[in-house]
Each structure stands twice: as structure tokens, then as C-alpha cells.
Amino acid sequence: MSSFFEPSAGGDNRDAFQVIILGGGGGPIEDDVTGVLVRSAGSFWAKNSILAVDAGVHLSAITSIIGNHLPGAIRPKHAESSRGPHASSSGPVDSPKLVMTTGPFRDLLLPHETAKANALHLLQNYVSTYLITHPHLDHLSGFVINTAAFQHTTRRKTLAALPHAINAIKAHIFNDIIWPNLSDEEGGVGLVSYHRLTEGGNIALGAGDRRGYIQACDGLAVKGWAITHGDCIMQPSQRGSINQEFPFPSSSDGRRGSRPNNPLSPTYRRQSSSHSELNSKPNVVDSSAFFILDERSGKEILIFGDVEPDSISTDPRTYRVWADAAPKVDAGILRAIFIECSYDDSQKDNMLFGHLNPRHLIAELSTLAEKVANFRKTGNPNYGGASTGSAKSLSHPSQASTSDADSPRKRRYDGSQRSGDDGSQRLRDPPPSLSASTSEPQRGRTPSPLSHQPMSSSVSPGTRASRSGFVVQGQGVPPHLRNPDASPTSVPLPAGPMQTRSQQTSPGRTSFPRRSPREVLADVNRLRTNPGQFTPAMRAALEYETWSGNRPEPAKPLADVKVVVIHIKDTMKDGPPASDLVLAQLIDHAEAAGLGCEILVAKQGESFNF
């Protein structure tokens, strides 16, 4: 059965992605392990338009899905007249025998009569790239076995991954021992070509918001981050491969895994480390999280491989993914997050084996929500807590203390710490790092709203419009923080839409009108739709209102995000499926945290449109 999210009428809400679930479980049954197909909804079933993300199960699931919906396929009298609204003139079928009318492959033209023959046709002609999060068999075995079907095609299949995954696959799978070397390296057969992705994105590629993304197939581009999938019992020398292709220096707080600055920053440079530094790093199992960009619409989805909670990890790295995701959530770009939740809450922390359960997944999503709130206030998702932003565990609130509240790995979830309805920690002070002054802002001081130059009526190329209702320039510095030590000055009220509001003034100075968030939001929307009505002074006044406490901040920071849960392990017991309990616990935790996101569980054979 297909499950679709119906698009809204607005052009910005048109579906950008179709995600087909080949396998949504986490084992132990081998025919329902991780594997999804992703395509741009605008690709119209063009050749090489499908991206496979993990392939624990692959061709067998494609065959099954086509077989389930084949009875509803129709026989076109003429190929051209049979092409539906989603068919492509550039597709690889000249004389189709069947057209799918139901299911995930609706409107796909098929040249054969049977499900097996058509599944092979789809694999050979439509699936271009395999994006692998990590080399564990429940994410890779389908791809490896299905390589026998890669023959008799006109181009190699691409295996794209971060270096840690490709190194392991090359050393331990395609080595002529476990499996023949079917790659195009080391004298292999040449059916598969490795594509080593740069962690955090390749800064030499793309521009603007798309900088760092690299095309994976027709219509889709990707960017990946390394995450941690638990501790490794064996030492690196015993494993036969090194976790990272290249090492990185420790961060200022002494933890491994954090680069000195963002890989997308122009000032970022790789640095080398000594062999002793390599051996001193935590020995963990590497996994990946991938942002997938629809090149036509600019929308994105985020798909995680297996991942453990940052709060209990010896090498927490998921916070970097959330920091990258926060601006995308704020801008309405990130449509969905696919993330694992292998066990229910009865699974103890020391028995998670590098996975999540509901309390930890909601803690991780709470970290994302906190970073979204921070970004909306300051333009910096990492301000307002530990810069690493590690997740706060939902399991042991009693362990929270003043001394360790901001520690990267010891922060714990405590509902009493939240002062806002959105479940995020409110800002107490202006962020020192955002000040343009050489001296740090004084704690508790209220910055002057007019210590900055009025914004020009035109938006510069480096300015990014935010859904929060204000304009963020450069690094997102709030205008009233650019010079926090400036003395207060009088403010003439701007003319126009905002002048009709009543004013409350203090002796000797003029203040901005005090208005309700609803009134502020009305002017924010007017600014977006008809910016010519607003003078520079009016825009500056409105910008101050959004930063001074009247900004209409959404009560639930993840309200526009769908969370699709994958990799739930089957208990193989009588009674309701494990996914029912996991989903119920997730919904309870999410409501208590005030996240606002819709949570769904992926089922094999389903299709999601975002």
C-alpha cells in the first residue's frame, strides 16, 4: 500500500521527492532490512534517475513490489498515447508492454510481462547510484549479491560513500575472497565505480546554499557527515582498516571528532596528525548521515544510517548534522528525516549496541529543535548551549547538575530547564561571538536597538531570507548586537503600515510600538509580499521587533518536518509488532517535548512523497 503526503496548492509545496521503502526493518529477518529508493519527483522516470540509499534488501523487494501491483497495469495500444503525466520521453522504454497504474512505480513504463524481468529492467536502467551509509551487511548485502545483475549495461554502477565505508568495502568485500572484485580498482572487473565523498561536502563544488553538494543521479545531489554507530571491540590494527581516510586535529575542548571549523568555510584546511594521535582516538564504528538535495526545487531530505545517542557516545558527532540541518528547518527546506529507532524504551543504554530507542531519538530531535530555536534568535545554531550541542538524554533527568549541564557528553534532559513552549533553552545573554565590538557584551545588558545602520531597501546577494520573519546578513548577526556598547538613541517612528499602532514611550526618548506577535507577523508577511512599501527605517524597526521579544516564533520548532522511523528490530514474538510500541513511545515523548513533528514508521512497499 502506498502512503502519500498530499501536496498543498502553493507552488512551494509541490512534491520534490519520492522515497520508496524497499526495507524498513532492522532484522533479524533478512528480507526486510534497510534499503530505500529516492528520486526527484520532477525527473518523470528518466533514465538513471533513481538513487538507492543502502541496499540490505534490493532487487528482491523491487520484484515483490512490482509483482504486487502488476495485475493493475494496463496494456497501452500506443506507447506515446499511454504516457501518463509522470512518464518521460527520455525513458529507456520505446515500446512499453505495460504501464503501472498503482503503487510506488505508478506511471512507469515496463517492457516485459513478468515482475522479475521488469525488476531487472528497472535496476539496470533507472538505478544509477548506491549511496551506502556504512558497510554492515544489513545495509549492503543486497547490493553485493545483486552485482551479478549489473552486467550487460552501458555504464558502471556508482557506489558513493564517505571514505570509511568505501575503504571497508574495498578491503573486506570486493577482495576476491568474500566476493569477487567487481570494482574498477585494483584490476577488478569494472562493474562498480567508487565515488569517495568528502565529509561535510566538497567546498570546491556548488555555490550558495548548494555549496558542497555533488550530483548523485539525475536531479539529486548529496552531502554526507560521519556519525558514530557504537564502540568497536577490536583495535584498528586488528580490523585491517583505519576508521578515517585522513585524521583531523582535536577541537579546543580536547575531544576527537570535531574539526576546528566548518568544512564549508573558506578558511577550513585539512591538517595531518601523527601516528600516536591516530592511536589515541576513540575506536568507534563509523556510519553516515546524508542530506539529499532535489536540484529542481531546492528541497532536501535527511537519511541516517545506524547511529547511537550522542549523550552516551565516546565520540559524539550527530550534533554536527543537527547544526547543519537547523537553518534548513528554519527556511522550510528540510522536508523529512529518516532515522533509525531499533528498540523500544525497555532496552537499557548498555544494550543499545550503537542504536537508538525512543527516549534517545526524541532527545536527539530535541537537540535539533534547540538548534533551530538558537538559529532563529542569533543566526547561529550552536549558540545557547555547548557548542557541540550533544543530545540530552531523556532517560536520567536526575543526573542533571549545574556543573555538567553544558558538558558535551554529560548534558541531560530536564523539562524544568525549558522556559519556552517550543522545548528549547531560551537565550539569557547576547552571544559574545556575534559582537562586532572588541570588548565582550556585558551580561544581562539590553543592547541598543539602534546601534546599527538601517538596512537598505534592497537585499544584497549575501543576504538570506529567513522564515523567522527577519533578514539575516552575512553570518546572521542580529543588528542590535553589532555594537552592543553603543549608547541608546532616540528612534523616529517610521511612516507606513506600522505607524498606525499605539506607542508607549519612556521619558526623554521615543520607543518602538509595542505590538502583539500577530501584528508583527502581519507586517512580516507584508514585507515578504510587497517589500516596496517598507522604507529602510521601517525595515530596521520591524527587524528590531522580531529580535526584541515580539517576534512571532513558532511554538513547535519542528512542525514542518516529517520524521520517518526505520530499522526497528522485529522481536519475532506473538502479539502486536514491535513497531507499534516504538511508535507509541515516540509520540508520547515528542508531545511532552513539544517538538511538533509528525512521526511515522516506514513499512516495506510504502512510498512517501515530500
Side-chain angles (χ1 to χ4, degrees):
M1 178 183 294
S2 298
S3 174
F4 294 96
F5 298 117
E6 294 298 333
S8 302
D12 290 340
N13 292 317
R14 289 177 299 179
D15 291 336
F17 295 94
Q18 182 188 13
V19 181
I20 302 170
I21 307 300
L22 300 182
I29 299 179
E30 69 275 13
D31 66 351
D32 188 17
V33 289
T34 306
V36 301
L37 301 179
V38 183
R39 73 180 185 96
S40 169
S43 67
F44 304 137
W45 295 115
K47 189 173 184 177
N48 299 315
S49 63
I50 295 179
L51 172 67
V53 183
D54 283 340
V57 62
H58 190 61
L59 185 57
S60 63
I62 296 173
T63 304
S64 177
I65 293 172
I66 291 178
N68 290 339
H69 294 276
L70 202 59
I74 62 175
R75 294 181 177 275
K77 293 182 180 179
H78 303 286
E80 291 300 323
S81 62
S82 68
R83 294 181 187 273
H86 301 292
S88 171
S89 60
S90 62
V93 181
D94 294 326
S95 300
K97 293 185 177 180
L98 297 171
V99 180
M100 299 293 286
T101 60
T102 62
F105 300 116
R106 180 179 178 179
D107 295 323
L108 179 63
L109 309 180
L110 301 176
H112 303 293
E113 298 282 352
T114 65
K116 288 183 178 180
N118 284 314
L120 178 63
H121 167 78
L122 186 145
L123 180 147
Q124 291 182 334
N125 292 279
Y126 292 94
V127 181
S128 169
T129 301
Y130 292 81
L131 188 64
I132 303 299
T133 62
H134 64 293
H136 283 177
L137 292 180
D138 58 333
H139 296 254
L140 185 67
S141 60
F143 167 79
V144 174
I145 295 173
N146 296 160
T147 51
F150 294 173
Q151 302 180 69
H152 312 302
T153 59
T154 58
R155 60 179 289 179
R156 298 184 180 98
K157 298 298 183 185
T158 299
L159 192 159
L162 293 177
H164 66 75
I166 289 182
N167 290 346
I169 293 170
K170 182 176 178 178
H172 303 298
I173 301 295
F174 293 137
N175 59 3
D176 289 328
I177 299 174
I178 300 299
W179 203 254
N181 179 12
L182 301 181
S183 75
D184 58 356
E185 297 183 7
E186 307 294 336
V189 176
L191 297 180
V192 176
S193 179
Y194 295 126
H195 186 170
R196 295 167 176 82
L197 302 176
T198 301
E199 183 177 6
N202 188 332
I203 63 173
L205 300 176
D209 291 339
R210 302 186 180 192
R211 188 178 187 187
Y213 287 80
I214 188 167
Q215 189 177 53
C217 68
D218 180 53
L220 299 178
V222 300
K223 179 177 70 173
W225 289 98
I227 53 179
T228 301
H229 179 26
D231 293 333
C232 184
I233 298 175
M234 300 177 66
Q235 295 301 314
S237 59
Q238 296 173 299
R239 295 168 67 187
S241 64
I242 299 176
N243 287 2
Q244 302 288 345
E245 185 182 48
F246 39 77
F248 300 101
S250 299
S251 61
S252 58
D253 61 3
R255 293 190 312 104
R256 177 264 189 194
S258 297
R259 297 184 178 183
N261 47 42
N262 192 304
L264 298 185
S265 168
T267 61
Y268 173 77
R269 295 290 185 272
R270 291 198 178 100
Q271 302 179 27
S272 60
S273 299
S274 65
H275 181 70
S276 60
E277 287 175 308
L278 268 176
N279 293 337
S280 66
K281 293 176 181 177
N283 188 23
V284 297
V285 179
D286 292 308
S287 184
S288 309
F290 292 110
F291 288 94
I292 303 177
L293 166 72
D294 174 52
E295 295 180 312
R296 294 172 176 84
S297 68
K299 303 298 183 182
E300 299 185 33
I301 59 175
L302 171 59
I303 301 182
F304 279 82
D306 293 351
V307 58
E308 71 175 355
D310 268 7
S311 59
I312 63 174
S313 176
T314 59
D315 187 14
R317 291 182 282 181
T318 307
Y319 70 88
R320 303 181 303 171
V321 181
W322 299 139
D324 198 356
K328 305 176 191 296
V329 173
D330 176 61
I333 292 173
L334 187 61
R335 305 295 289 267
I337 299 171
F338 288 75
I339 189 167
E340 69 128 290
C341 191
S342 297
Y343 305 101
D344 63 51
D345 274 337
S346 66
Q347 196 82 358
K348 296 181 179 179
D349 288 356
N350 62 353
M351 296 295 288
L352 286 174
F353 306 109
H355 293 288
L356 296 174
N357 60 10
R359 64 178 181 271
H360 284 297
L361 174 51
I362 298 303
E364 290 292 341
L365 293 174
S366 297
T367 298
L368 172 60
E370 179 182 2
K371 291 183 181 296
V372 171
N374 292 341
F375 180 81
R376 287 171 175 167
K377 294 180 178 75
T378 69
N380 180 359
N382 288 325
Y383 179 75
S387 61
T388 54
S390 57
K392 297 168 284 188
S393 171
L394 290 170
S395 54
H396 304 292
S398 61
Q399 296 182 13
S401 66
T402 303
S403 60
D404 66 11
D406 289 332
S407 173
R409 290 190 56 242
K410 295 184 179 179
R411 290 169 54 193
R412 296 290 185 253
Y413 177 90
D414 184 355
S416 65
Q417 294 178 356
R418 302 196 311 267
S419 58
D421 293 335
D422 61 354
S424 63
Q425 188 72 26
R426 299 294 185 187
L427 295 180
R428 301 187 184 94
D429 310 293
S433 61
L434 297 180
S435 173
S437 172
T438 55
S439 60
E440 293 186 356
Q442 298 177 7
R443 294 180 63 86
R445 176 180 180 135
T446 302
S448 167
L450 295 171
S451 56
H452 64 283
Q453 296 297 323
M455 294 169 54
S456 63
S457 58
S458 62
V459 179
S460 65
T463 303
R464 181 183 54 78
S466 168
R467 294 180 61 194
S468 307
F470 53 87
V471 176
V472 180
Q473 296 195 13
Q475 296 298 319
V477 182
H480 63 290
L481 294 180
R482 293 173 188 161
N483 188 2
D485 295 324
S487 58
T489 57
S490 296
V491 185
L493 284 174
M498 302 170 62
Q499 193 177 24
T500 59
R501 315 298 183 196
S502 61
Q503 306 174 36
Q504 294 184 6
T505 60
S506 57
R509 60 178 296 186
T510 304
S511 68
F512 284 94
R514 299 184 58 153
R515 305 187 293 156
S516 69
R518 186 185 298 271
E519 292 174 317
V520 176
L521 180 59
D523 274 334
V524 167
N525 291 332
R526 276 193 288 270
L527 176 60
R528 290 175 177 171
T529 57
N530 196 351
Q533 290 185 353
F534 289 75
T535 67
M538 292 163 57
R539 295 164 70 98
L542 183 58
E543 189 178 43
Y544 168 68
E545 280 193 295
T546 63
W547 284 103
S548 63
N550 280 342
R551 188 176 69 76
E553 182 177 358
K556 297 184 177 181
L558 304 184
D560 296 330
V561 179
K562 308 282 187 183
V563 177
V564 182
V565 178
I566 55 177
H567 205 274
I568 298 176
K569 294 183 178 294
D570 196 331
T571 60
M572 307 293 290
K573 296 180 180 179
D574 293 336
S579 58
D580 288 356
L581 177 58
V582 169
L583 180 60
Q585 292 175 345
L586 284 169
I587 291 174
D588 287 344
H589 290 322
E591 290 179 351
L595 299 180
C597 54
E598 182 179 358
I599 301 177
L600 308 123
V601 171
K603 301 292 185 180
Q604 190 173 45
E606 284 186 327
S607 173
F608 296 97
N609 286 6
F610 302 101

